[in-house]
């Protein structure tokens, strides 16, 4: 028996003896032990909550410090006020209009003012030795939405980086990379919140969630931030992508088409980042390939597959959007090269269309359309090779 095992057993024995000796006369040792365990558990829960609050406060201070230091660096290049005001045409307008197009009626309380954050950013970015950038609360910064501070920080960071990459404020911020763990921590917590929300999305949808996905895609598209974020959050991103897919496929309630459009648009937004597009396309094609194999074994849609059959068309729509974007941007080699799901789809494409066209004409029409897009992607790739 080693020393560690001996000390552990001795400690357990000492604890048991102490409990037996201190047990009240009118209580059994078992009841008293359960009472003590309950007290300790409650205290542990309280301590854990306090730790989480303190960790959140520390992270907000890190947010303020990083933004302040970056702003101070920018001020060396000139007065940023005019450029900041030029950016005030709210990036969240685009996401909001997408939700309105989907038929989701957002109340005034749920709409976020697109100019509010940039205006505050302008007001707080004054050339002082140490810039005060308080994380102030606006609508949405409630106990029910604890992710607001992360969103506010990440959006301000993106605005600042966009300003420093062009015009008279062009500034090299690469020396701040050692501090970008703060960004990764916020992205990780934002992803946790997104996964929780999308598992049970509540209708009507707040624009906050669409803005969060758009911000996430923008951060990972940044060449300086992406490595830090992917190093810490790659597994969480993969979980988020799979969560969005499962929400689309498993939806079976009355308003599911509005939910599916909202979630599908979130996938398209996420796929606007070229670094994430390949994994999303491969994930969706894997599901299409699997369901195609299922349909090949039956002659009509059985009752157990009706919902899945209807929902699969949302995946077709997302795939078309992402492949069209890929072709337009000319990044085709990143998607087609060595992707097993694309190879499987194309290898069995003609056979599947021939086999399924009579029983499932609409499904095969979408297979045909996807085949054209994937073949065009391969064509563009072959032309781009030397």
């Amino acid at each position: 028996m080693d020393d560690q095992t001996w000390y552990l057993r001795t400690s357990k024995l000492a604890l048991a003896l102490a409990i037996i000796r201190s047990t009240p006369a009118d209580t059994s040792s078992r009841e008293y032990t359960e009472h003590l365990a309950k007290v300790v558990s409650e205290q542990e829960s309280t301590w854990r909550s306090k730790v989480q609050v303190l960790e959140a406060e520390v992270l907000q201070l890190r947010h303020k410090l990083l933004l302040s230091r970056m702003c101070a660096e920018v001020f060396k290049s000139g007065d940023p006020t005019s450029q900041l005001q030029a950016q005030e045409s709210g990036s969240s307008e685009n996401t909001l209009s997408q939700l309105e197009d989907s038929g989701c009626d957002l109340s005034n309380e749920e709409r976020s003012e697109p100019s509010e954050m940039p205006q505050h950013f302008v007001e707080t970015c004054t050339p002082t030795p140490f810039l005060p950038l308080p994380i102030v609360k606006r609508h949405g910064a409630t106990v029910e939405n604890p992710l607001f501070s992360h969103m506010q920080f990440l959006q301000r960071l993106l605005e600042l980086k966009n300003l420093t990459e062009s015009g008279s404020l062009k500034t090299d911020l690469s020396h701040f990379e050692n501090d970008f763990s703060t960004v990764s921590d916020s992205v990780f917590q934002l992803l946790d919140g997104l996964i929780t929300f999308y598992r049970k999305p509540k209708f009507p949808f707040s624009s906050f969630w669409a803005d969060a996905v758009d911000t996430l895609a923008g951060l990972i598209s940044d060449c300086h931030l992406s490595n830090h974020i992917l190093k810490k959050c790659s597994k969480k991103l993969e979980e988020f992508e799979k969560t969005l897919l499962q929400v689309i496929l498993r939806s079976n309630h009355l308003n599911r088409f509005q939910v599916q459009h909202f979630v599908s648009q979130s996938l398209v937004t996420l796929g606007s980042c070229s670094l994430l597009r390949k994994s999303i396309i491969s994930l969706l094609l894997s599901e299409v390939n699997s369901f195609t194999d299922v349909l090949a074994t039956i002659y009509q849609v059985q009752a157990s597959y009706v919902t899945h059959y209807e929902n699969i068309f949302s995946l077709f729509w997302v795939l078309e959007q992402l492949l069209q974007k890929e072709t337009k941007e000319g990044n085709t080699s990143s998607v087609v090269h060595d992707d097993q799901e694309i190879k499987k789809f194309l290898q069995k494409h003609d056979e599947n269309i021939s086999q399924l066209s009579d029983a499932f004409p609409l499904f095969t029409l979408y297979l045909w359309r996807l085949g054209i897009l994937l073949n065009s992607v391969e064509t563009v790739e072959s032309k781009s090779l030397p």
Side-chain angles (χ1 to χ4, degrees):
M1 182 187 302
D2 58 20
D3 290 344
Q4 185 177 1
T5 304
W6 184 85
Y7 280 118
L8 180 61
R9 290 185 177 180
T10 302
S11 299
K12 287 182 177 179
L13 179 60
L15 177 61
L17 290 173
I19 291 174
I20 292 172
R21 288 177 179 176
S22 60
T23 301
D26 57 344
T27 306
S28 68
S29 296
R30 178 174 181 176
E31 290 174 343
Y32 186 57
T33 302
E34 291 175 348
H35 167 72
L36 291 177
K38 183 179 179 182
V39 171
V40 171
S41 177
E42 290 174 350
Q43 290 178 344
E44 183 180 354
S45 177
T46 302
W47 294 335
R48 187 181 294 112
S49 299
K50 290 180 179 179
V51 168
Q52 290 174 348
V53 170
L54 291 173
E55 287 177 342
E57 290 178 358
V58 169
L59 188 55
Q60 286 198 31
L61 290 173
R62 290 168 63 193
H63 291 171
K64 292 165 63 176
L65 178 60
L66 179 59
L67 288 175
S68 296
R69 292 178 59 201
M70 293 175 74
C71 280
E73 185 73 18
V74 170
F75 290 140
K76 296 177 183 179
S77 303
D79 182 11
T81 304
S82 59
Q83 284 90 341
L84 284 166
Q85 289 173 336
Q87 296 289 326
E88 202 170 320
S89 57
S91 60
S92 62
E93 281 284 340
N94 294 333
T95 311
L96 188 57
S97 64
Q98 291 167 354
L99 286 177
E100 290 170 343
D101 292 341
S102 71
C104 300
D105 182 21
L106 300 177
S107 64
N108 291 332
E109 288 76 11
E110 291 168 326
R111 297 172 187 265
S112 59
E113 291 298 332
S115 64
E116 183 177 354
M117 184 168 57
Q119 181 62 36
H120 176 73
F121 194 82
V122 173
E123 293 170 356
T124 55
C125 284
T126 54
T128 59
F130 186 82
L131 299 172
L133 285 170
I135 307 296
V136 298
K137 293 187 177 182
R138 69 176 187 188
H139 180 75
T142 63
V143 176
E144 291 76 16
N145 192 359
L147 300 175
F148 174 78
S149 62
H150 299 293
M151 265 285 287
Q152 190 180 48
F153 162 68
L154 295 172
Q155 288 180 330
R156 289 180 180 178
L157 180 68
L158 275 180
E159 290 172 357
L160 185 59
K161 285 185 65 61
N162 289 338
L163 284 171
T164 59
E165 290 171 1
S166 62
S168 61
L169 290 178
K170 193 167 185 178
T171 309
D172 181 15
L173 299 178
S174 58
H175 55 282
F176 287 104
E177 288 196 25
N178 291 334
D179 300 314
F180 283 168
S181 61
T182 304
V183 180
S184 301
D185 291 342
S186 282
V187 169
F188 191 91
Q189 294 194 38
L190 184 62
L191 278 168
D192 257 342
L194 284 168
I195 290 170
T196 300
F197 168 76
Y198 277 93
R199 280 175 178 163
K200 293 182 179 180
K202 297 179 181 179
F203 182 82
F205 311 109
S206 167
S207 61
F208 174 88
W209 303 105
D211 288 343
V213 176
D214 185 59
T215 300
L216 185 62
L219 290 165
I220 300 174
S221 297
D222 185 279
C223 59
H224 297 296
L225 296 172
S226 58
N227 289 336
H228 298 273
I229 294 173
L230 293 175
K231 184 177 180 180
K232 180 179 178 65
C233 306
S234 58
K235 294 293 184 183
K236 188 65 67 172
L237 276 165
E238 183 180 340
E239 182 184 355
F240 181 44
E241 292 171 4
K242 291 180 178 179
T243 298
L244 295 177
L245 171 64
Q246 292 306 315
V247 169
I248 293 174
L249 292 178
R250 293 178 180 177
S251 296
N252 57 6
H253 49 80
L254 185 61
N255 291 326
R256 77 174 188 271
F257 297 110
Q258 291 171 311
V259 172
Q260 285 174 343
H261 185 87
F262 178 75
V263 178
S264 297
Q265 187 58 60
S266 297
L267 269 173
V268 172
T269 302
L270 203 61
S272 65
C273 172
S274 58
L275 292 176
L276 300 178
R277 196 177 304 145
K278 177 181 178 180
S279 63
I280 295 174
I281 289 175
S282 183
L283 179 65
L284 300 188
L285 269 181
S286 174
E287 187 62 39
V288 170
N289 287 335
S290 297
F291 194 64
T292 301
D293 292 340
V294 170
L295 292 182
T297 63
I298 58 179
Y299 295 100
Q300 62 181 6
V301 181
Q302 299 174 359
S304 57
Y305 292 112
V306 169
T307 300
H308 199 102
Y309 180 82
E310 293 174 346
N311 294 344
I312 202 77
F313 290 98
S314 293
L315 302 193
F316 282 129
W317 180 80
V318 174
L319 281 166
E320 288 185 357
Q321 301 300 311
L322 296 183
L323 289 171
Q324 288 170 1
K325 189 172 186 64
E326 188 72 15
T327 304
K328 184 178 180 180
E329 292 183 359
N331 298 324
T332 53
S333 59
S334 65
V335 169
V336 175
H337 183 63
D338 288 338
D339 189 278
Q340 297 302 315
E341 295 301 333
I342 292 180
K343 288 182 178 180
K344 179 181 177 181
F345 180 89
L346 293 176
Q347 286 171 357
K348 300 180 67 176
H349 179 257
D350 293 342
E351 177 187 345
N352 286 331
I353 288 180
S354 175
Q355 184 177 0
L356 301 175
S357 57
D358 290 337
F360 311 105
L362 184 59
F363 185 85
T364 52
L365 173 63
Y366 276 86
L367 289 181
W368 174 74
R369 289 168 58 169
L370 272 185
I372 290 177
L373 284 171
L374 285 169
N375 282 317
S376 67
V377 166
E378 283 199 324
T379 302
V380 173
E381 179 190 15
S382 62
K383 289 182 179 179
S384 65
L385 294 175

